[in-house]
Amino acid sequence: MSKKCKSIAQSVEWCNGAPQLAGIRKRAYFIPKAEIVKWPTLQRDENGRATGAEYKGDFTLEADATFKYVDILPNRSQHTSDPQGEVPSQTQLNKLTLVHPGVGEEATALSAYLNNNDLLWIFQDMAGKWRCVGSEKWETNTSVAQDNGQGATGQTGTTITVEATDEVISPFYTGKIETEDGEIDCSGAEVP
């Protein structure tokens, strides 16, 4: 007997005048995927289709592993997502562009680490929601460029570009983030 494929689509309402705050907050967190022991899960129907865009549960990390962070310039940083592939294998290419103002030794040393690691990134949008770029199934590509500026009015910066394939647009996350400064509860916490 064949499975019945009922629609999992839901209506999406928007109230005229409700603000949609653009941008991301000034700190993004990252960790090598190799240090993640267990991932939270997306809810699925009996056919394996994702029925939501929020991870349920927490990231379980190896002993002594913690998320690190990069402070960024929100006005020069951005999150986007584009579809890729063809039906029935279409996925999302989630992209994160993070601009750190520094070009000194610490930012330069970090670039070598970021360039050569498969990472998970977590950031907070201006509405206070936490999102993930990087999935358990596909490798994340992180690349770093640096600009020392030009002339007396130029801008310096280290630009981190992240691209990650996922089933959904950068899943929301309401679990915990273990950082070197302590635990962040993403169910409503705001950080710098």
Side-chain angles (χ1 to χ4, degrees):
M1 180 178 278
S2 64
K3 293 182 186 178
K4 177 76 173 148
C5 291
K6 63 181 181 178
S7 175
I8 58 174
Q10 297 180 10
S11 297
V12 178
E13 184 178 6
W14 177 67
C15 296
N16 195 14
Q20 298 297 305
L21 304 175
I24 59 180
R25 305 235 177 156
K26 78 170 236 175
R27 182 167 282 177
Y29 293 85
F30 65 91
I31 192 164
K33 290 186 202 174
E35 294 181 6
I36 300 172
V37 175
K38 184 178 178 205
W39 287 65
T41 58
L42 291 173
Q43 301 303 296
R44 298 183 182 282
D45 72 358
E46 64 276 2
N47 295 309
R49 298 177 296 181
T51 58
E54 180 183 320
Y55 276 136
K56 300 293 184 186
D58 295 319
F59 287 98
T60 304
L61 308 180
E62 289 182 343
D64 299 323
T66 59
F67 280 84
K68 307 300 186 237
Y69 65 85
V70 175
D71 283 338
I72 60 169
L73 298 170
N75 291 340
R76 292 175 58 195
S77 300
Q78 183 178 24
H79 165 251
T80 62
S81 185
D82 294 310
Q84 64 181 4
E86 301 294 330
V87 172
S89 302
Q90 193 172 60
T91 56
Q92 292 296 135
L93 181 58
N94 297 320
K95 303 173 191 174
L96 194 57
T97 302
L98 306 169
V99 180
H100 174 73
V103 293
E105 291 88 341
E106 289 178 348
T108 302
L110 181 60
S111 69
Y113 178 80
L114 297 178
N115 277 334
N116 295 298
N117 258 304
D118 185 14
L119 305 166
L120 167 71
W121 291 84
I122 301 179
F123 68 94
Q124 190 177 32
D125 66 22
M126 288 301 183
K129 303 287 186 179
W130 294 86
R131 312 277 305 254
C132 298
V133 176
S135 76
E136 186 174 17
K137 293 180 180 177
W138 294 282
E139 190 170 313
T140 301
N141 181 25
T142 302
S143 57
V144 184
Q146 206 168 72
D147 187 347
N148 279 54
Q150 190 175 49
T153 59
Q155 293 181 323
T156 65
T158 298
T159 301
I160 302 163
T161 304
V162 182
E163 290 188 344
T165 295
D166 207 330
E167 292 178 75
V168 299
I169 297 172
S170 302
F172 290 89
Y173 180 61
T174 57
K176 308 265 190 280
I177 302 175
E178 294 292 336
T179 76
E180 54 195 7
D181 298 326
E183 185 179 89
I184 297 172
D185 178 359
C186 296
S187 63
E190 294 187 14
V191 297

